Amino acid sequence: MASPSAVPEPFTRAVAGLRADSPRPEILLEEIAAPQRLAPYSFALSATVLRSGDEVASGRLILLHDPAGHDAWRGDLRLVTLVTADLEPDLATDPLLPAVAWTWLTDGLDQHAAAYTAIGGTVTQTASTRFGELSGPPPTADLEVRASWTPTSDDFAAHLHGWCAMLASTAGLPPPGVSSLDRHRASAS
């Protein structure tokens, strides 16, 4: 990576926006090493989503910047994400889940006015059952969302908040300000 004095201003502003505080206490954000071969400049965050103290989802958000731009990106900045979450086993075979999971991303970005273009990605749902020497734990199910998009405004905090909204939906967190019934039951005991 180039020396700090040579870092382009658009990249510097984007990183500052992504360093905004996490919009939800259940989502722990941490700066991590960014991939160095994808673009001349990169920055990355990891997220851990907790529900009742248990990790239920995780993700990475990577900012790429190539001052020369990319035709496929339709710009010179690109956000790339990978989000994984545990699922209830019956959801792993739900044919509607991939479309719903995709809307968690687009709705999160739209609700936070995070303007974008050239969005694309995949949603994968898996179910795993262990056998033989690996048998023992009950079957597990997972959801994975891989996506990338090109921001069309300088408000990178909006992109962070939209991404965190998607993480919250993927993890099954209630909307901000709404308590889950389980929490009320536990406090009533």
Side-chain angles (χ1 to χ4, degrees):
M1 190 175 275
S3 69
S5 62
V7 176
E9 182 62 27
F11 180 73
T12 302
R13 281 194 315 268
V15 168
L18 293 176
R19 284 183 169 146
D21 290 332
S22 174
R24 294 194 60 155
E26 306 96 328
I27 301 175
L28 307 174
L29 297 177
E30 180 177 48
E31 289 184 31
I32 59 172
Q36 299 298 306
R37 296 182 185 184
L38 300 176
Y41 302 92
S42 58
F43 173 80
L45 293 170
S46 72
T48 302
V49 185
L50 303 173
R51 187 176 59 221
S52 301
D54 295 326
E55 181 178 329
V56 292
S58 63
R60 288 187 308 249
L61 182 65
I62 301 167
L63 170 67
L64 303 174
H65 177 57
D66 187 341
H70 279 274
D71 291 339
W73 294 2
R74 294 188 218 154
D76 60 5
L77 291 162
R78 189 80 172 159
L79 287 167
V80 179
T81 190
L82 166 66
V83 171
T84 58
D86 298 333
L87 287 176
E88 295 296 324
D90 58 326
L91 288 178
T93 58
D94 186 335
L96 300 177
L97 182 61
V100 170
W102 185 254
T103 64
W104 292 334
L105 173 60
T106 58
D107 287 353
L109 294 172
D110 293 344
Q111 289 169 358
H112 292 278
Y116 60 88
T117 190
I119 192 168
T122 62
V123 177
T124 305
Q125 59 201 90
T126 60
S128 300
T129 304
R130 297 171 187 235
F131 297 96
E133 294 293 320
L134 296 177
S135 66
T140 60
D142 300 294
L143 176 73
E144 179 181 277
V145 179
R146 293 177 181 265
S148 63
W149 64 96
T150 298
T152 58
S153 75
D154 287 339
D155 188 357
F156 279 81
H159 288 273
L160 175 70
H161 286 225
W163 179 66
C164 286
M166 187 262 289
L167 279 165
S169 295
T170 304
L173 297 179
V178 175
S179 297
S180 71
L181 291 176
D182 292 337
R183 185 178 301 171
H184 287 297
R185 286 184 191 132
S187 64
S189 303

